[in-house]
Coordinates of all heavy atoms in Angstrom, one line a residue:
M1370 N 0.9 -1.1 0.1 CA 0.1 0.0 0.0 C 0.9 1.2 -0.1 O 0.4 2.3 -0.5 CB -0.9 0.0 1.4 CG -2.0 1.0 1.1 SD -3.4 0.5 2.2 CE -3.4 1.8 3.4
T1371 N 2.0 1.2 0.6 CA 2.9 2.3 0.6 C 3.7 2.4 -0.7 O 3.9 3.5 -1.1 CB 4.0 2.2 1.8 OG1 4.3 1.0 1.7 CG2 3.2 2.6 3.1
T1372 N 4.2 1.4 -1.2 CA 5.0 1.4 -2.4 C 4.2 1.2 -3.7 O 4.2 0.1 -4.2 CB 6.2 0.5 -2.4 OG1 5.7 -0.8 -2.0 CG2 7.3 0.9 -1.3
Q1373 N 3.8 2.3 -4.2 CA 3.1 2.1 -5.5 C 4.2 2.4 -6.6 O 4.9 3.1 -6.6 CB 2.0 3.3 -5.7 CG 0.7 2.7 -5.3 CD -0.5 3.7 -5.8 OE1 -0.2 4.7 -6.2 NE2 -1.7 3.2 -5.8
Q1374 N 3.9 1.5 -7.7 CA 5.0 1.6 -8.7 C 4.6 2.6 -9.7 O 3.7 2.5 -10.5 CB 5.2 0.3 -9.4 CG 5.9 -0.8 -8.6 CD 7.0 -1.5 -9.1 OE1 6.8 -1.9 -10.4 NE2 8.1 -1.8 -8.6
R1375 N 5.3 3.8 -9.5 CA 4.8 4.8 -10.6 C 6.1 5.4 -11.4 O 6.1 6.5 -11.8 CB 4.3 6.0 -9.8 CG 3.1 5.6 -9.0 CD 2.2 6.7 -8.5 NE 3.1 7.8 -7.8 CZ 2.7 9.0 -7.7 NH1 1.6 9.5 -8.3 NH2 3.4 9.9 -7.1
Y1376 N 7.0 4.4 -11.6 CA 8.1 4.8 -12.3 C 7.9 5.0 -13.8 O 7.3 4.1 -14.3 CB 9.3 3.8 -12.2 CG 9.6 3.5 -10.8 CD1 9.4 2.4 -10.1 CD2 10.5 4.4 -10.0 CE1 9.7 2.1 -8.9 CE2 10.8 4.3 -8.8 CZ 10.5 3.1 -8.1 OH 10.9 2.9 -6.9
P1377 N 8.2 6.2 -14.4 CA 8.0 6.2 -15.9 C 9.1 5.3 -16.6 O 8.9 5.1 -17.8 CB 8.3 7.7 -16.0 CG 9.1 8.1 -15.0 CD 8.8 7.2 -13.8
E1378 N 10.0 4.9 -16.0 CA 11.1 4.0 -16.5 C 11.5 3.0 -15.5 O 11.1 3.1 -14.4 CB 12.3 4.9 -16.9 CG 13.1 5.5 -15.7 CD 12.6 6.9 -15.4 OE1 12.5 7.7 -16.3 OE2 12.1 7.1 -14.2
P1379 N 12.1 2.0 -15.9 CA 12.5 0.8 -15.1 C 13.4 1.4 -14.0 O 14.3 2.1 -14.1 CB 13.2 -0.2 -16.0 CG 13.2 0.4 -17.4 CD 12.6 1.7 -17.3
P1380 N 13.3 0.6 -12.8 CA 14.2 1.1 -11.6 C 15.6 0.7 -12.0 O 16.0 -0.2 -12.6 CB 13.7 0.1 -10.5 CG 12.3 -0.4 -11.0 CD 12.2 -0.3 -12.4
I1381 N 16.5 1.5 -11.6 CA 17.9 1.5 -11.9 C 18.6 0.3 -11.4 O 19.5 -0.3 -11.8 CB 18.6 2.8 -11.7 CG1 18.1 3.9 -12.4 CG2 19.9 2.7 -11.9 CD1 18.5 5.2 -11.9
D1382 N 18.2 0.0 -10.0 CA 19.0 -0.9 -9.3 C 18.6 -2.4 -9.4 O 19.1 -3.3 -8.6 CB 19.2 -0.5 -7.9 CG 17.8 -0.2 -7.2 OD1 16.8 -0.2 -8.0 OD2 17.8 0.2 -6.0
L1383 N 17.7 -2.7 -10.2 CA 17.5 -4.0 -10.5 C 18.4 -4.8 -11.4 O 18.6 -4.4 -12.5 CB 16.0 -4.2 -11.1 CG 14.8 -4.1 -10.2 CD1 13.5 -4.6 -10.9 CD2 14.9 -5.3 -9.0
P1384 N 19.0 -5.8 -11.0 CA 20.0 -6.5 -11.7 C 19.6 -7.0 -13.1 O 20.3 -7.1 -14.0 CB 20.5 -7.7 -10.8 CG 20.0 -7.4 -9.4 CD 18.7 -6.4 -9.6
I1385 N 18.3 -7.4 -13.1 CA 17.8 -8.0 -14.3 C 17.7 -6.9 -15.4 O 17.7 -7.3 -16.6 CB 16.4 -8.5 -14.0 CG1 15.9 -9.7 -15.2 CG2 15.3 -7.5 -13.8 CD1 14.9 -10.5 -14.8
D1386 N 17.7 -5.7 -15.0 CA 17.5 -4.7 -16.0 C 18.9 -4.0 -16.3 O 19.1 -3.2 -17.2 CB 16.7 -3.5 -15.6 CG 15.2 -3.9 -15.6 OD1 14.9 -4.7 -16.4 OD2 14.4 -3.5 -14.8
A1387 N 20.0 -4.6 -15.7 CA 21.3 -4.0 -15.9 C 21.7 -4.0 -17.3 O 22.5 -3.1 -17.8 CB 22.3 -4.7 -15.0
W1388 N 21.5 -5.1 -18.0 CA 21.9 -5.3 -19.3 C 21.5 -4.2 -20.2 O 22.1 -3.7 -21.2 CB 21.6 -6.7 -19.9 CG 20.2 -6.8 -20.1 CD1 19.3 -7.2 -19.3 CD2 19.5 -6.5 -21.4 NE1 18.1 -7.3 -19.9 CE2 18.2 -6.8 -21.2 CE3 19.9 -6.1 -22.7 CZ2 17.2 -6.7 -22.2 CZ3 18.9 -5.9 -23.6 CH2 17.6 -6.2 -23.4
L1389 N 20.2 -3.5 -19.9 CA 19.7 -2.6 -20.6 C 20.6 -1.4 -20.7 O 20.6 -0.5 -21.7 CB 18.4 -2.1 -20.1 CG 17.2 -3.1 -20.3 CD1 16.0 -2.6 -19.6 CD2 16.9 -3.2 -21.8
Y1390 N 21.3 -1.2 -19.6 CA 22.2 -0.1 -19.4 C 23.7 -0.3 -19.8 O 24.6 0.5 -19.8 CB 22.1 0.6 -18.1 CG 20.7 0.8 -17.8 CD1 20.1 0.0 -16.8 CD2 20.0 1.9 -18.3 CE1 18.7 0.4 -16.5 CE2 18.7 2.2 -18.0 CZ 18.0 1.4 -17.1 OH 16.7 1.6 -16.7
E1391 N 23.9 -1.6 -20.1 CA 25.3 -2.1 -20.4 C 25.7 -1.6 -21.9 O 24.7 -1.7 -22.7 CB 25.5 -3.5 -20.3 CG 25.6 -4.0 -18.9 CD 26.7 -3.1 -18.1 OE1 27.8 -3.0 -18.6 OE2 26.4 -2.7 -17.0
A1392 N 26.8 -1.0 -22.1 CA 27.2 -0.9 -23.5 C 28.7 -1.1 -23.7 O 29.5 -1.1 -22.6 CB 27.2 0.7 -23.7
N1393 N 29.0 -1.7 -24.8 CA 30.4 -2.2 -25.1 C 30.8 -1.3 -26.2 O 30.8 -1.7 -27.3 CB 30.4 -3.5 -25.5 CG 30.1 -4.5 -24.4 OD1 30.9 -4.4 -23.2 ND2 29.1 -5.3 -24.5
P1394 N 31.3 0.0 -25.9 CA 31.9 0.8 -26.9 C 33.0 0.3 -27.7 O 33.9 -0.2 -27.0 CB 32.2 2.1 -26.3 CG 32.4 1.6 -24.8 CD 31.6 0.4 -24.5
V1395 N 33.1 0.4 -28.9 CA 34.3 0.1 -29.7 C 35.3 1.2 -29.8 O 35.0 2.3 -30.1 CB 33.8 -0.3 -31.0 CG1 35.1 -0.6 -31.9 CG2 33.0 -1.6 -31.0
P1396 N 36.6 0.9 -29.3 CA 37.5 2.0 -29.2 C 37.7 2.6 -30.6 O 37.7 1.9 -31.7 CB 38.9 1.3 -28.9 CG 38.4 0.0 -28.2 CD 37.0 -0.2 -28.8
G1397 N 37.8 3.9 -30.8 CA 37.9 4.6 -32.1 C 36.6 4.9 -32.8 O 36.6 5.5 -33.9
C1398 N 35.6 4.4 -32.2 CA 34.2 4.6 -33.0 C 33.6 5.9 -32.4 O 33.4 6.1 -31.2 CB 33.3 3.5 -32.7 SG 31.6 3.7 -33.4
R1399 N 33.3 6.9 -33.4 CA 32.9 8.1 -32.9 C 31.5 8.0 -32.4 O 31.1 8.7 -31.5 CB 32.8 9.1 -34.0 CG 34.2 9.7 -34.4 CD 34.1 10.7 -35.4 NE 35.4 11.3 -35.8 CZ 35.5 12.2 -36.7 NH1 34.5 12.7 -37.2 NH2 36.8 12.6 -36.9
Q1400 N 30.7 7.2 -33.0 CA 29.3 7.0 -32.5 C 29.2 6.4 -31.1 O 28.4 6.9 -30.2 CB 28.5 6.2 -33.4 CG 28.2 6.8 -34.8 CD 27.4 6.0 -35.7 OE1 26.3 5.8 -35.6 NE2 28.2 5.3 -36.7
C1401 N 30.0 5.4 -30.8 CA 30.2 4.8 -29.5 C 30.7 5.9 -28.5 O 30.1 6.2 -27.3 CB 31.2 3.7 -29.5 SG 30.6 2.3 -30.2
A1402 N 31.6 6.8 -28.8 CA 32.3 7.7 -28.0 C 31.2 8.8 -27.5 O 31.0 9.1 -26.4 CB 33.3 8.4 -28.6
A1403 N 30.4 9.1 -28.7 CA 29.4 10.1 -28.2 C 28.2 9.6 -27.4 O 27.7 10.2 -26.5 CB 28.7 10.6 -29.7
A1404 N 27.9 8.3 -27.6 CA 26.8 7.7 -26.9 C 27.2 7.4 -25.5 O 26.5 7.6 -24.6 CB 26.4 6.3 -27.6
M1405 N 28.6 7.1 -25.3 CA 29.2 6.9 -24.0 C 29.1 8.2 -23.4 O 28.9 8.1 -21.9 CB 30.5 6.2 -24.1 CG 30.5 4.8 -24.5 SD 29.3 3.8 -23.7 CE 30.1 3.6 -22.1
R1406 N 29.4 9.3 -23.9 CA 29.3 10.6 -23.2 C 27.8 10.8 -22.7 O 27.6 11.3 -21.6 CB 29.7 11.7 -24.2 CG 31.2 12.0 -24.0 CD 31.5 13.4 -24.5 NE 31.1 13.6 -25.9 CZ 31.8 13.4 -27.0 NH1 32.7 12.7 -26.9 NH2 31.1 13.5 -28.2
E1407 N 27.0 10.6 -23.6 CA 25.5 10.7 -23.2 C 25.2 9.8 -22.1 O 24.6 10.2 -21.1 CB 24.6 10.3 -24.3 CG 24.1 11.4 -25.2 CD 23.2 11.0 -26.2 OE1 22.2 10.2 -26.0 OE2 23.5 11.0 -27.4
L1408 N 25.7 8.5 -22.1 CA 25.4 7.6 -21.1 C 25.9 8.0 -19.7 O 25.2 7.9 -18.7 CB 26.0 6.3 -21.4 CG 25.8 5.0 -20.5 CD1 24.3 4.6 -20.6 CD2 26.5 3.9 -21.1
R1409 N 27.0 8.6 -19.6 CA 27.7 9.1 -18.4 C 27.0 10.2 -17.8 O 26.6 10.3 -16.7 CB 29.2 9.5 -18.7 CG 30.1 8.4 -18.1 CD 31.6 8.8 -18.3 NE 32.1 7.7 -19.2 CZ 32.8 7.8 -20.3 NH1 32.9 9.0 -20.7 NH2 33.3 6.8 -21.0
R1410 N 26.4 11.1 -18.7 CA 25.8 12.4 -18.4 C 24.4 11.9 -17.7 O 23.9 12.4 -16.8 CB 25.6 13.3 -19.5 CG 25.4 14.7 -19.1 CD 25.1 15.6 -20.3 NE 26.3 15.5 -21.3 CZ 26.1 15.6 -22.7 NH1 24.9 15.8 -23.2 NH2 27.2 15.4 -23.5
A1411 N 23.8 10.9 -18.4 CA 22.5 10.5 -18.0 C 22.6 9.8 -16.7 O 21.7 9.8 -15.7 CB 21.9 9.6 -19.1
K1412 N 23.6 9.0 -16.6 CA 23.8 8.3 -15.3 C 24.0 9.3 -14.1 O 23.5 9.1 -13.0 CB 25.1 7.5 -15.4 CG 25.3 6.4 -14.4 CD 26.5 5.5 -14.7 CE 26.7 4.3 -13.9 NZ 27.8 3.4 -14.3
K1413 N 24.8 10.4 -14.4 CA 24.9 11.3 -13.3 C 23.6 12.0 -12.9 O 23.3 12.3 -11.8 CB 25.9 12.4 -13.8 CG 27.4 12.3 -13.3 CD 28.1 13.5 -13.7 CE 29.7 13.3 -13.3 NZ 30.4 14.4 -13.9
A1414 N 22.9 12.2 -14.0 CA 21.6 12.9 -13.8 C 20.5 12.1 -13.2 O 19.4 12.3 -12.9 CB 21.1 13.6 -15.1
G1415 N 20.8 10.8 -13.3 CA 19.8 9.8 -12.8 C 18.7 9.5 -13.7 O 17.6 9.1 -13.3
D1416 N 19.0 9.7 -15.0 CA 17.9 9.6 -16.0 C 18.0 8.3 -16.8 O 18.8 8.0 -17.6 CB 18.1 10.8 -17.0 CG 17.0 10.8 -18.0 OD1 16.3 9.7 -18.3 OD2 16.7 11.9 -18.4
A1417 N 17.2 7.3 -16.2 CA 17.2 6.0 -16.7 C 16.9 5.8 -18.1 O 17.4 5.0 -18.8 CB 16.3 5.1 -15.8
T1418 N 15.8 6.6 -18.6 CA 15.5 6.5 -19.9 C 16.6 7.0 -20.9 O 16.9 6.2 -21.8 CB 14.1 7.5 -20.2 OG1 13.3 7.2 -19.2 CG2 13.6 7.4 -21.6
K1419 N 17.3 8.0 -20.5 CA 18.4 8.5 -21.4 C 19.5 7.4 -21.4 O 20.2 7.3 -22.3 CB 18.8 9.8 -20.9 CG 18.0 10.9 -21.4 CD 18.8 12.2 -21.8 CE 17.9 13.2 -22.4 NZ 17.6 14.2 -21.3
R1420 N 19.7 6.9 -20.3 CA 20.8 5.8 -20.1 C 20.5 4.7 -21.0 O 21.4 4.2 -21.7 CB 20.8 5.3 -18.6 CG 21.5 6.1 -17.7 CD 21.6 5.6 -16.3 NE 22.6 4.4 -16.1 CZ 22.5 3.6 -15.2 NH1 21.8 3.9 -14.1 NH2 23.3 2.6 -15.2
F1421 N 19.2 4.2 -20.9 CA 18.8 3.2 -21.9 C 19.0 3.5 -23.3 O 19.6 2.7 -24.1 CB 17.4 2.8 -21.6 CG 16.8 1.8 -22.5 CD1 17.2 0.5 -22.6 CD2 15.8 2.3 -23.3 CE1 16.7 -0.3 -23.4 CE2 15.1 1.4 -24.2 CZ 15.7 0.1 -24.4
E1422 N 18.7 4.6 -23.7 CA 18.6 5.1 -25.0 C 20.2 5.2 -25.6 O 20.5 4.9 -26.6 CB 17.9 6.5 -25.4 CG 16.5 6.3 -25.3 CD 15.8 7.7 -25.3 OE1 16.5 8.7 -25.4 OE2 14.6 7.6 -25.3
A1423 N 21.0 5.8 -24.6 CA 22.3 5.9 -24.9 C 23.1 4.5 -25.3 O 23.8 4.3 -26.1 CB 23.2 6.8 -24.0
S1424 N 22.8 3.6 -24.2 CA 23.4 2.3 -24.4 C 22.9 1.5 -25.6 O 23.6 0.8 -26.2 CB 23.2 1.5 -23.0 OG 21.8 1.3 -22.8
R1425 N 21.6 1.8 -25.9 CA 21.1 1.2 -27.1 C 21.7 1.7 -28.4 O 22.0 1.0 -29.2 CB 19.6 1.4 -27.1 CG 18.8 0.5 -28.1 CD 17.4 0.7 -28.1 NE 17.0 2.1 -28.3 CZ 15.7 2.5 -28.3 NH1 14.8 1.5 -28.1 NH2 15.5 3.7 -28.5
K1426 N 22.0 2.9 -28.3 CA 22.7 3.5 -29.4 C 24.0 3.0 -29.7 O 24.4 2.6 -30.8 CB 23.1 5.1 -29.1 CG 22.0 6.0 -29.9 CD 22.5 7.4 -29.6 CE 21.3 8.2 -29.5 NZ 21.5 9.6 -29.0
V1427 N 24.8 2.6 -28.6 CA 26.1 2.0 -28.7 C 25.8 0.4 -29.4 O 26.5 0.0 -30.2 CB 26.8 1.7 -27.4 CG1 28.1 0.9 -27.6 CG2 27.1 3.2 -26.8
R1428 N 24.8 -0.1 -29.0 CA 24.6 -1.5 -29.6 C 24.0 -1.5 -30.9 O 24.1 -2.4 -31.7 CB 23.6 -2.2 -28.5 CG 24.2 -2.7 -27.3 CD 23.4 -3.7 -26.5 NE 22.0 -3.2 -26.2 CZ 21.6 -2.7 -25.2 NH1 22.4 -2.6 -24.1 NH2 20.4 -2.2 -25.0
A1429 N 23.3 -0.4 -31.1 CA 22.4 -0.4 -32.4 C 23.2 -0.2 -33.7 O 22.8 -0.8 -34.8 CB 21.3 0.5 -32.2
H1430 N 24.1 0.6 -33.6 CA 24.9 1.0 -34.9 C 25.8 -0.2 -35.2 O 26.4 -0.8 -34.3 CB 25.5 2.4 -34.9 CG 26.7 2.4 -34.0 ND1 26.5 2.8 -32.7 CD2 27.9 2.3 -34.2 CE1 27.6 2.9 -32.1 NE2 28.5 2.6 -32.9
P1431 N 26.1 -0.4 -36.6 CA 26.9 -1.6 -36.9 C 28.4 -1.3 -36.9 O 28.9 -0.2 -37.0 CB 26.6 -1.7 -38.4 CG 25.9 -0.5 -38.9 CD 25.4 0.3 -37.7
H1432 N 29.0 -2.3 -36.5 CA 30.4 -2.4 -36.5 C 31.1 -3.4 -37.4 O 30.5 -4.4 -37.4 CB 31.1 -2.6 -35.0 CG 30.8 -1.4 -34.1 ND1 29.8 -1.7 -33.1 CD2 31.3 -0.2 -34.0 CE1 29.8 -0.5 -32.3 NE2 30.6 0.4 -32.9
R1433 N 32.1 -3.0 -38.1 CA 32.6 -4.0 -39.0 C 33.6 -4.9 -38.2 O 34.6 -4.5 -37.8 CB 33.4 -3.3 -40.1 CG 32.4 -3.0 -41.2 CD 33.0 -2.2 -42.4 NE 32.5 -0.9 -42.4 CZ 33.0 -0.1 -43.1 NH1 34.1 -0.2 -43.9 NH2 32.6 1.2 -43.3
A1434 N 33.3 -6.2 -38.2 CA 34.2 -7.1 -37.4 C 35.4 -7.5 -38.1 O 36.4 -7.9 -37.5 CB 33.4 -8.4 -37.2
S1435 N 35.5 -7.1 -39.5 CA 36.5 -7.5 -40.3 C 37.7 -6.5 -40.1 O 38.8 -6.7 -40.8 CB 36.2 -7.9 -41.6 OG 35.6 -6.8 -42.3
E1436 N 37.5 -5.4 -39.5 CA 38.4 -4.3 -39.6 C 39.2 -4.2 -38.3 O 38.7 -4.3 -37.1 CB 37.8 -3.0 -39.8 CG 37.7 -2.8 -41.4 CD 37.1 -1.4 -41.7 OE1 36.2 -1.0 -41.0 OE2 37.6 -0.7 -42.7
Ligands
ZN2906 ZN1 30.3 2.2 -32.2

């Protein structure tokens, strides 16, 4: 009765959601670097939605494995 779930975004400290915020930036990739800056800023601001979006950016754009 006291704890109503009214989060507009997923809670940050649930381990099951951690992967949503994980990002594996590729060294030398500008898009990764930009997204990681966003990610860090969002983390500081406590903005879970932006964190998710930034980490998704890192995962979403293609990297060439052969280079
Ligand atoms: Zn990248």
Side-chain angles (χ1 to χ4, degrees):
M1370 195 154 117
T1371 43
T1372 47
Q1373 269 199 344
Q1374 290 225 324
R1375 302 200 303 159
Y1376 302 106
E1378 63 269 307
I1381 296 167
D1382 48 358
L1383 272 189
I1385 198 163
D1386 286 330
W1388 69 271
L1389 286 174
Y1390 307 109
E1391 286 305 318
N1393 294 302
V1395 172
C1398 175
R1399 282 186 182 185
Q1400 289 180 78
C1401 282
M1405 288 312 283
R1406 270 201 304 275
E1407 259 180 64
L1408 185 64
R1409 253 177 243 129
R1410 208 180 303 150
K1412 202 171 182 177
K1413 263 190 188 172
D1416 191 329
T1418 304
K1419 283 218 178 99
R1420 277 180 75 189
F1421 170 67
E1422 277 171 9
S1424 61
R1425 193 175 54 180
K1426 259 184 216 171
V1427 174
R1428 288 194 302 262
H1430 68 271
H1432 292 110
R1433 273 178 249 172
S1435 56
E1436 275 185 314

